[in-house]
Amino acid sequence: MTSLSGLPLWDEEDLPVDDLLLFEVAWEVTNKVGGIYTVIQTKAKITVDEWGENLFMMGPYYEHNFNTQVEQCEPPNPAIKKAMGALIDNGCLVYFGRWLIEGSPYVILFDTGSAAWNLDRWKGDLWDTCGIGMPAHDREANDSLLFGSMVAWFFKEVICQLGDSPNVLAHFHEWQVGAGLILCRSRKIPLATIFTTHATLLGRYICAGNVDFYNNLDKFNIDQEAGERQIYHRYCLERAAVHCAHVFTTVSQITAVEANHMLHRKPDVVTPNGLNIKKFSAMHEFQNLHSTNKGQIQEFIRGHFYGHLDFNLEKTLFFFIAGRYEFSNKGVDIFLESLSRLNYLLRVWNDVTVVVFFIMPAKTNNFNVETLKGQAVRKQLWDTAHTVKDKFGKRLYEALLKGDIPDMNTILDRDDFTIMKRAIYATQRHTLPPVTTHNMLDDTSDPILANVRRIGLFNARTDRVKIVFHPEFLSSTSPLLPMDYEEFVRGCHLGVFPSYYEPWGYTPGECTVMGIPSVTTNLSGFGCFMEEHVSDPTAYGIYIVDRRFRSADDSCNQLTQFMFGFCQQSRRQRIIQRNRTERLSDLLDWRYLGRVNVNNLSPLSLSLALSLALSPQTEGFRYPRPGSVPPSPSVSVHSTPHHSDEEDDEEPYDEDMEAERDRQNIKAPFTLGATPEEISRYEPGMANPGP
């Protein structure tokens, strides 16, 4: 299959899935916690297409999730039905059904609460097996042990039922399910195993401490670092699972380097994360969707900034950052500093206004009263305007019917002017528009608000950069900003994700498939992936900040220049760039990446032997630089500040011709597997590979 014309055809070698059972084990099956849920959910369709009735996903049972996301049914496979019965007969509840997502995969969910009475005994088994002790106070680690023990027990029963030729493949995601893999191997259960780490446990903890992590990977005392953070037992589970697995994979080259140092094993293959592009696909409609959803955001802005709406909304750009509230790991620290510098540049050189949204969940107790009032004032103004408009229209209509040209001074009476004056007076405000939309529980020590105070961005009239901190995930039922996340992203102009620690990074990927330019870094898996496979990422709306080989101050300056350059673009240039960005969608499609991953892992499925070999690397493609972009980067935007609505001296552009060139002008192939040579290019002290 091909995802773009010009891609090499795949070899038509079908996996013998009729003779195989694939179990995908993850803590986030039907249980949304973070990005792994997106991975599992979005690739379910292509995996079901490949494996059919022989695919089973395994995760923890939560009553609410099961009742709202799963259609309960009987297992079609007799071996699985009997294995579930063996656990249930011993008081450990197991549930089976179809997950109500695209592809409708089978799911097997284990109720860890029903097996809690075994916890002490299973802790002893784990200690006897590999010397890993589980402290009583760590609820998450104890739940992972209960889950892993039930999974290993289940696999043992399944293998017994299948007889001499089990042909079972188990794919484990992350440390929470690592205990199951360890116990399967220690008990010599004959199944082939894969372990995928989406981020190393210790890496995330260390990066949160503002450490130059990637340039000092070889200098950390791993055991000491884990012990000081009181996660040594979790780290041991993760490392043991990595070394017990027949095949070890990770999601990006940068994480492969990290895993090699943190877990002391080089990944056998890199399997990049994809997205279900069909879900986001809007063909040429995505430009119209941007305009429609931008209008909804503008309505929120009219209410939030009432009384201070002295900037032109047609010259206002919407930037945003979203995700888990990890202040340093997600790059919020350098983003805020860059916004301060951008504010100075815009005040001096440009009349563009930037409204920046921070969509990050934090502890709050309710909506901000001032924010709610703003939306009420906006609605009142809207109602007043429509009331007066209806009266004006009726009187105008009646006058024209009589053949008269109405006197505009008399068509509205004194009461109409009184209503309008009252509405105008209602918009008067003696305070600045609030920075946050909610009442924060810990306002004084909140990192974002503390840094907003430091840089002095309080939404003053003179500020060209405005801040809106929305400490809650978006919802279409919200009284403030009634939009789903996807609608909100489509309405923005630029997503900014200058992460320091981001093993993959779904947020810029989602921006890309919706045709929204984004900022990422060369320390994120997504950024490295784009750097490797796209000749000129910036031309396609993927701005990559160097956070590895530059100082924090230089990275701030680079990010500031990216944002300032984006603000200098005319509306036509932004439309052209969005077209280019959206054309990268197929590069992130599971239809393509899923087949790449299957090809890379196919010998595992074919042999199911304990000594597993990797297949030859799969060829792909490298996007060329768009033909309409001049050779000099300085020419792609104006070299001097200009108004964003200027259209002079635009570069020639033919969308259809450029799209066809992107599909056919394929450059040097790449490989998606992680060879030792490729991984070594990312090692500390080595230069970052260029495009």
Side-chain angles (χ1 to χ4, degrees), residues 525-546:
F526 175 83
C528 293
F529 182 82
M530 285 298 176
E531 226 173 18
E532 185 174 357
H533 304 324
V534 180
S535 295
D536 185 3
T538 302
Y540 284 94
I542 309 294
Y543 299 90
I544 301 176
V545 176
D546 184 358

Side-chain angles (χ1 to χ4, degrees), residues 281-301:
S281 178
M283 301 301 288
H284 295 291
E285 268 302 294
F286 78 93
Q287 294 283 9
N288 295 332
L289 289 173
H290 168 72
S291 179
T292 301
N293 292 306
K294 181 179 71 174
Q296 286 187 262
I297 298 174
Q298 287 175 335
E299 283 302 299
F300 168 81
I301 295 300

